Amino acid sequence: MSRLPLLLLLLLTVQPAGATLIRIPLRRVYTGRGVLNPLRGWGKPAKPPRMGAPSPGDKPIFVPLSDYMNAQYYGEIGLGTPPQNFSVLFDTGSSNLWVPSVRCHFFSLPCWFHHRFNPKASSSFKPNGTKFAIQYGTGRLNGILSEDKLTIGGITGASVVFGEALSEPSLIFTIAHFDGILGLGFPILAVEGVRPPLDTLVDQGLLDKPVFSFYLNRDPEAADGGELVLGGSDPSHYIPPLTFVPVTIPAYWQIHMERVKVGTGLTLCAQGCAAILDTGTSLITGPTEEIRALHAAIGGIPLLAGEYLLQCSTIPRLPPVSLLLGGTWFTLTAQDYVIQIVRGGVRLCLSGFAALDMPPPTGPLWILGDVFLGSFVAVFDRGDMNGGARVGLARARPRGA
């Protein structure tokens, strides 16, 4: 490569002068199989509210509860003055921030197993009192809205409206390793029209632009889960260039996928299909018939809830699976898409692809979860007056490189 193209490549990947990057370390916890599979929460999605639609009041907004059973990626934030610390899951599939409250109902079991926000311990607390409710696939969450200061990645002083959960009648929240959820979806998904945290940081001049990126570590033995970067991306996390794909529906991070190839003999999504990039979902999911065909080609053995087991001895011979996005092929090797679990000296190999049928009008679609996002860094760009929302994708650099 000549020196001139190399210089141009460096200029394309360097952040603009003065850009502020907020870095939040992520922790990864492998939780194994559980008694509930929250992916079923995707099964009956509600239509996203129309632009400018009135607030639904006390009616719950339906959002997918991500697959927390296989892995949880979460980081730390603070709320109040002085900051009260919480572990939150950073979720691209929702747009609200909520944490448990000290005012939660006595019989709301998850409250007693997690950190709880105490408004009386914060000198900057401002009551709001508006009721909110979110219906997940495995239970209902409700509470009241409040306002206080957010501390995140070293940034302090952002005044945000967040939810204090008063009732969490769902087993999934009891066994979760995180306290609450910080949504990174689009404003249209926000319950009660609350301004999402990312937008608030930009509005108050604490973040240069509404862009964030994920660099995930899928090593099951590592506590280091990677890094969430707010305000841009770190080129040291990926191998440039980034391929940008436009967001087709600005609610979830939905894009158009042109095709999926399994080795050289099978083509899926042949006419193009919709796909959602979701940091809260562990696996890559797709329509049942296509996922069944994929596993017929790689020797998958059906399990419950649309998941498949693979023989670990076949990993060296398994074909690559390639996704065509934005005119670029993103190839997953068997090392990328096979989840190897060792428990009690026994090694199990779980396929990173699972069947999940999304009914119209939302579906059919694919969900590109952590199996994909662990291999490829995703830069989520909400866009501005000069351009629409888009997602940038590039192969993640190996850890320690």
Side-chain angles (χ1 to χ4, degrees), residues 105-353:
H105 301 157
F106 180 81
F107 293 106
S108 183
L109 192 60
C111 286
W112 304 107
F113 288 88
H114 295 95
H115 296 100
R116 293 174 290 164
F117 178 76
N118 184 358
K120 293 182 179 180
S122 173
S123 62
S124 51
F125 173 77
K126 295 180 181 179
N128 179 300
T130 303
K131 294 180 181 180
F132 79 94
I134 303 174
Q135 180 70 47
Y136 290 105
T138 51
R140 179 184 174 101
L141 167 78
N142 60 63
I144 58 172
L145 298 179
S146 296
E147 183 176 346
D148 214 327
K149 302 296 184 182
L150 171 67
T151 299
I152 182 169
I155 298 296
T156 60
S159 183
V160 298
V161 175
F162 66 98
E164 287 189 62
L166 302 181
S167 177
E168 300 174 54
S170 171
L171 177 63
I172 188 63
F173 293 125
T174 304
I175 62 178
H177 286 257
F178 56 87
D179 301 312
I181 293 177
L182 190 150
L184 291 167
F186 287 79
I188 194 172
L189 292 181
V191 171
E192 294 300 328
V194 171
R195 194 76 169 145
L198 183 72
D199 298 74
T200 298
L201 291 173
V202 175
D203 294 344
Q204 298 179 17
L206 298 172
L207 198 63
D208 292 338
K209 50 189 176 180
V211 179
F212 60 94
S213 58
F214 278 89
Y215 179 46
L216 301 182
N217 182 8
R218 289 183 55 232
D219 179 359
E221 304 302 320
D224 169 25
E227 190 173 54
L228 163 64
V229 179
L230 301 180
S233 62
D234 184 348
S236 70
H237 286 168
Y238 57 84
I239 300 170
L242 288 165
T243 296
F244 283 96
V245 186
V247 170
T248 53
I249 300 178
Y252 306 109
W253 288 88
Q254 183 170 326
I255 60 175
H256 177 72
M257 185 160 64
E258 292 127 275
R259 209 152 59 249
V260 177
K261 287 197 310 184
V262 183
T264 57
L266 176 64
T267 298
L268 306 172
C269 176
Q271 305 302 316
C273 51
I276 288 174
L277 292 132
D278 183 21
T279 57
T281 295
S282 294
L283 308 180
I284 297 173
T285 74
T288 296
E289 291 303 317
E290 298 207 288
I291 294 298
R292 184 180 293 135
L294 183 153
H295 285 105
I298 66 175
I301 304 167
L303 292 174
L304 297 175
E307 296 181 2
Y308 286 77
L309 203 63
L310 295 166
Q311 290 186 329
C312 297
S313 60
T314 66
I315 291 177
R317 303 189 299 275
L318 292 179
V321 178
S322 301
L323 290 70
L324 184 59
L325 301 164
T328 299
W329 287 103
F330 293 87
T331 299
L332 297 165
T333 66
Q335 292 296 329
D336 295 325
Y337 68 74
V338 177
I339 301 170
Q340 301 187 49
I341 305 167
V342 179
R343 287 293 180 271
V346 177
R347 184 167 66 127
L348 295 176
C349 292
L350 180 72
S351 170
F353 297 92

Side-chain angles (χ1 to χ4, degrees), residues 65-68 71 89-93 278-282 369-370 373:
L65 180 56
S66 306
D67 184 3
Y68 303 133
L89 183 123
F90 297 99
D91 181 24
T92 57
D278 183 21
T279 57
T281 295
S282 294
D370 297 337
L373 296 172

